[in-house]
């Protein structure tokens, strides 16, 4: 059910005539009820002309509820009670010059209990500048000079009530974002809509929402306007990297608002000259934090769904392995029997190798599902690359694809030979698929390995001259079940590769550079196990 708009008004003025006059303007039916009754009685008793029916108010004017206070202390007490009861004032008319607490002191005291009410100073004169008033009483303030016309008071109150309720509705919407369970596409649409509303409120046509991952890579989520063309993104990202923010904290630096949540930073940029204050900064902070939580929840939801899918697949694979393990092992038994019967054929070794590969495929897949730790031994980089290429070539017609190797001889690293060669196989196989599917002229794959300067890591880079990684899957490339409708793909190949590389203490990334480029970084020292 839609929540009723708040149209409660508090008048704080030491002059009773002013208090009563503003009340009569905002609540004419209530304050003139006694006069109307007297006029009606006079008309009946003396046949005298009574007062005319009151002119109906415009439909856009709220039905105000008015309370009054004769000084600042009394007004603050009313504010405290209203907030405690959950019925805060939407608008507070406040005289600037009063005995005891003046208007500024009263406003500062009010802000201790209610930072959201729209405060309108109504005074004949003031010693305060508007900047000073905003700095101390908040940006959600207005200023009007005495004497005033009835229409002016009505307009001021109506606009203030409208602004107050729009902000509360936006605030509730923002606050609800983090609790809504949505997939990434739905969430981004919702966040885009809310950011549009928020940008309109803070009076800017340019805003940006992005996140900075732990590896210091920047990812844009979405933007409003042409902010990326009008600001230096490199300087912005450097600024984000330089700010030390605690988990769950929000800070503003110039036009940038940062929020740190767990393993990444969400930030929003508003391109405007003035620094945001009070209500606008509050709402922006609220949006940034809840957007961060919502994005995290969407990611966790997606990972949970992936784990559920993998768990179901793992159970099915375990059952298949139970049934297939014996037939696969019987391949080697049969070839041994053929050799004992003096059967001589070059095919026997190939059959043995195929049986071994089939067994490795099942074992590696189950290791991926169960996240089994890798078994490390010293392996030759040249060997895992060559065997990975051979495995990929066995699955493709590669007569037209040139593969160039640049691997230093004798380069050794600690690792699981089976998993590393299958990682190379997956990457080479994907490159071949892209080159052949798109009929790339003179298709080529370059594989290079290098040791870094301090000899701590080995980098293996696999590059092709194909069409590159599609933009729509670039962010989720290493997640399970991302196939982009490949007829022969399971959607697990790159997810398995990443898990294997990470299990070795390494890292993998993908980028486009006149084709797809996959870079694997592996440590030259064994990964310590807990």
């Amino acid at each position: 059910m839609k929540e009723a708009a708040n149209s409660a008004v508090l008048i704080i003025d030491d002059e009773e005539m002013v208090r009563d006059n503003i009340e009569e303007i905002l609540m004419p039916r209530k304050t003139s009820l006694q006069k109307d009754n007297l006029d009606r009685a006079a008309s009946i008793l003396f046949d005298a002309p009574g007062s005319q029916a009151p002119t109906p108010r415009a439909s856009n004017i709220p039905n105000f509820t008015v309370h009054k206070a004769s000084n600042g202390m009394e007004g603050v007490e009313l504010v405290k009670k209203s907030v405690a009861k959950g019925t805060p004032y939407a608008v507070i008319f406040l005289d600037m010059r009063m005995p005891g607490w003046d208007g500024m002191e009263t406003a500062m005291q009010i802000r201790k209990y209610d930072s959201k009410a729209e405060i309108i100073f109504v005074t004949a004169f003031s010693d305060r500048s508007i900047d000073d008033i905003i700095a101390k009483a908040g940006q959600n303030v207005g200023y009007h000079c005495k004497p005033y016309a009835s229409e002016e008071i009505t307009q001021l109150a109506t606009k203030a009530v409208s602004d107050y309720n729009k902000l509360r509705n936006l605030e509730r919407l923002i606050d609800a974002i983090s609790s809504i369970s949505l997939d990434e596409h739905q969430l981004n649409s919702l966040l885009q809509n809310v950011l549009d509303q928020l940008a309109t409120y803070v009076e800017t046509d340019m805003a940006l929402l992005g996140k900075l991952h732990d590896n210091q890579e920047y990812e844009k989520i979405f933007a409003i306007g042409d902010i990326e063309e009008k600001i230096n993104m490199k300087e912005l990202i450097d600024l984000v990297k330089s700010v030390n923010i605690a988990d769950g904290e929000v800070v503003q630096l110039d036009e940038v608002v940062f929020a740190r949540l767990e393993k990444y930073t969400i930030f929003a940029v508003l391109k405007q000259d003035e620094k945001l204050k009070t209500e606008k900064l509050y709402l922006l902070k609220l949006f940034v934090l809840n957007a961060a939580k919502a994005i995290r929840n969407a990611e966790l939801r997606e990972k949970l769904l992936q784990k559920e899918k993998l768990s179901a697949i793992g159970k099915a694979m375990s059952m298949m392995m139970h049934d297939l393990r014996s037939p696969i092992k019987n391949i080697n038994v049969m070839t041994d029997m053929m050799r004992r019967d003096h059967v001589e054929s070059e095919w026997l070794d190939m059959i043995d190798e195929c049986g071994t590969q089939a067994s490795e495929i099942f074992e590696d897949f189950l290791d991926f599902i169960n996240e089994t730790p890798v078994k490390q031994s010293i392996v030759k980089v040249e060997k895992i690359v060559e065997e990975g290429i051979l495995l990929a070539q066995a699955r493709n017609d590669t007569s037209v694809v040139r593969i160039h190797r640049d691997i230093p001889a004798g380069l050794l690293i600690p690792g699981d030979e089976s998993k590393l060669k299958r990682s190379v196989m997956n990457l080479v196989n994907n490159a071949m698929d892209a080159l052949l599917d798109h009929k790339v002229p003179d298709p080529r794959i370059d594989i290079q390995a290098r040791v870094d300067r301090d000899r701590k890591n080995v980098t293996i880079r696999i590059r092709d001259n194909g069409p590159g990684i599609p933009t729509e899957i670039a962010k989720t490339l290493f997640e399970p079940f991302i196939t982009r409708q490949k007829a022969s793909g399971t959607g697990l190949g790159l997810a398995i590769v990443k898990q294997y590389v990470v299990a070795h203490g390494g890292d993998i990334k993908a980028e486009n550079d006149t084709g797809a480029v996959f870079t694997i970084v592996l440590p030259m020292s064994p990964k310590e196990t807990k």
Side-chain angles (χ1 to χ4, degrees):
M1 187 173 67
K2 186 176 180 181
E3 190 171 335
N6 182 359
S7 57
V9 177
L10 175 62
I11 305 166
I12 306 175
D13 198 300
D14 62 311
E15 295 184 35
E16 183 179 8
M17 182 177 66
V18 173
R19 297 195 302 270
D20 293 345
N21 179 245
I22 294 178
E23 180 184 31
E24 184 175 354
I25 293 170
L26 298 180
M27 299 181 64
R29 294 179 182 178
K30 177 181 177 181
T31 54
S32 61
L33 181 60
Q34 186 176 12
K35 182 177 181 298
D36 289 344
N37 289 337
L38 289 174
D39 287 345
R40 192 174 298 109
S43 175
I44 294 171
L45 292 173
F46 306 111
D47 198 24
S51 60
Q52 295 181 348
T55 304
R57 306 188 78 183
S59 60
N60 65 328
I61 298 177
N63 291 321
F64 298 104
T65 301
V66 177
H67 294 164
K68 298 179 288 183
S70 60
N71 58 66
M73 294 183 69
E74 182 184 345
V76 171
E77 285 301 314
L78 288 175
V79 170
K80 287 170 62 176
K81 290 178 181 178
S82 68
V83 171
K85 289 169 58 179
T87 56
Y89 295 106
V91 186
I92 299 175
F93 283 96
L94 181 58
D95 186 22
M96 183 62 80
R97 288 199 167 186
M98 295 184 295
W101 287 353
D102 65 3
M104 181 62 74
E105 177 64 26
T106 302
M108 292 168 63
Q109 293 296 326
I110 288 172
R111 288 305 185 209
K112 293 179 180 179
Y113 308 100
D114 189 343
S115 62
K116 301 173 184 180
E118 301 284 331
I119 296 178
I120 301 174
F121 289 99
V122 180
T123 184
F125 45 81
S126 173
D127 300 328
R128 309 276 188 171
S129 68
I130 191 65
D131 289 339
D132 185 36
I133 293 172
I134 289 175
K136 293 181 178 178
Q139 199 171 30
N140 46 329
V141 298
Y143 195 93
H144 197 75
C145 293
K146 296 177 181 177
Y148 51 77
S150 299
E151 294 81 5
E152 292 174 333
I153 293 297
T154 302
Q155 290 172 4
L156 285 170
T158 300
K159 182 180 183 304
V161 163
S162 175
D163 289 346
Y164 178 91
N165 286 286
K166 283 180 182 178
L167 289 176
R168 299 294 76 75
N169 290 335
L170 183 56
E171 182 184 69
R172 282 189 287 271
L173 176 60
I174 291 172
D175 193 45
I177 289 174
S178 63
S179 62
I180 299 175
S181 178
L182 299 171
D183 63 33
E184 184 179 5
H185 176 72
Q186 294 169 324
L187 176 64
N188 282 354
S189 297
L190 175 61
L191 293 178
Q192 177 84 60
N193 179 269
V194 176
L195 186 60
D196 284 339
Q197 294 185 52
L198 190 57
T200 300
Y201 170 62
V202 296
E203 300 173 353
T204 180
D205 57 358
M206 294 186 295
L208 174 69
L209 184 69
K211 65 180 178 182
L212 190 70
H213 294 270
D214 275 352
N215 61 4
Q216 300 299 299
E217 288 189 2
Y218 163 74
E219 175 192 342
K220 182 186 82 172
I221 298 176
F222 46 74
I224 296 172
D226 55 354
I227 190 168
E228 292 176 288
E229 287 73 39
K230 295 197 175 181
I231 65 172
N232 188 316
M233 290 302 299
K234 184 180 183 304
E235 289 182 2
L236 170 63
I237 294 169
D238 289 342
L239 179 63
V240 174
K241 292 177 181 178
S242 67
V243 177
N244 185 22
I245 311 172
D247 185 32
E249 184 182 356
V250 181
V251 298
Q252 181 179 2
L253 190 61
D254 298 328
E255 292 90 11
V256 186
V257 176
F258 307 88
R260 183 71 177 175
L261 190 68
E262 292 191 356
K263 295 184 178 180
Y264 54 84
T265 300
I266 296 284
F267 58 93
V269 181
L270 295 177
K271 191 66 175 179
Q272 62 177 37
D273 296 331
E274 295 183 4
K275 185 177 180 180
L276 296 180
K277 299 181 180 70
T278 56
E279 189 77 356
K280 292 184 179 182
L281 180 57
Y282 159 74
L283 276 179
L284 183 57
K285 287 180 177 181
L286 185 66
F287 172 74
V288 171
L289 270 183
N290 282 283
K293 292 177 183 177
I295 292 168
R296 179 199 60 185
N297 290 343
E299 291 175 348
L300 291 175
R301 177 178 180 270
E302 186 63 28
K303 288 179 180 178
L304 179 61
L305 290 175
Q306 289 174 359
K307 280 190 174 292
E308 290 175 351
K309 290 180 184 178
L310 289 173
S311 177
I313 293 172
K315 289 178 181 178
M317 288 297 296
S318 295
M319 295 174 64
M320 289 177 59
M321 273 296 296
H322 181 269
D323 294 334
L324 290 173
R325 184 175 278 113
S326 294
I328 290 173
K329 288 186 176 180
N330 284 341
I331 293 174
N332 296 104
V333 174
M334 293 172 66
T335 55
D336 286 343
M337 292 174 62
M338 293 173 70
R339 289 187 180 96
R340 283 198 295 270
D341 287 343
H342 307 290
V343 175
E344 294 183 4
S345 172
E346 61 182 10
W347 294 102
L348 294 178
D349 290 341
M350 295 181 66
I351 292 171
D352 281 340
E353 186 177 344
C354 288
T356 301
Q357 288 179 15
S359 181
E360 286 180 349
I361 290 172
F362 277 107
E363 296 293 344
D364 286 352
F365 186 83
L366 289 176
D367 286 348
F368 169 73
I369 296 293
N370 299 321
E371 299 183 358
T372 305
V374 296
K375 300 174 183 178
Q376 294 189 353
S377 60
I378 300 301
V379 299
K380 292 183 178 179
V381 174
E382 191 175 18
K383 181 182 180 184
I384 63 173
V385 170
E386 286 299 328
E387 293 187 358
I389 292 172
L390 289 174
L391 289 172
Q393 287 175 328
R395 299 172 58 180
N396 294 274
D397 177 14
T398 60
S399 57
V400 296
V401 179
R402 292 186 297 127
I403 301 180
H404 179 263
R405 295 92 156 162
D406 182 8
I407 315 293
L411 181 56
L412 304 175
I413 58 172
D416 187 312
E417 185 173 306
S418 171
K419 290 177 172 52
L420 290 176
K421 75 180 179 183
R422 292 193 61 76
S423 297
V424 173
M425 180 209 73
N426 266 301
L427 296 176
V428 173
N429 186 64
N430 284 351
M432 287 181 175
D433 284 346
L435 294 170
L436 296 174
D437 289 349
H438 290 85
K439 297 179 173 57
V440 175
D442 189 24
R444 176 187 174 105
I445 299 173
D446 290 285
I447 305 176
Q448 180 191 73
R450 289 289 183 269
V451 180
D452 64 12
R453 291 183 179 180
D454 55 7
R455 301 193 64 80
K456 289 185 177 180
N457 299 302
V458 169
T459 299
I460 302 173
R461 186 168 285 109
I462 300 176
R463 177 192 300 268
D464 66 58
N465 64 338
I469 301 162
T471 304
E472 62 268 26
I473 65 170
K475 288 195 330 182
T476 55
L477 194 62
F478 294 105
E479 294 179 8
F481 312 112
I482 305 299
T483 65
R484 198 175 178 259
Q485 300 178 338
K486 275 180 61 177
S488 60
T490 64
L492 292 173
L494 289 177
I496 291 175
V497 171
K498 180 168 184 179
Q499 189 193 89
Y500 288 171
V501 171
V502 172
H504 281 80
D507 188 29
I508 182 171
K509 68 176 182 177
E511 58 190 329
N512 288 326
D513 183 11
T514 62
V517 182
F518 287 84
T519 303
I520 297 174
V521 178
L522 295 168
M524 296 189 70
S525 299
K527 179 184 177 183
E528 294 183 7
T529 56
K530 295 182 179 179

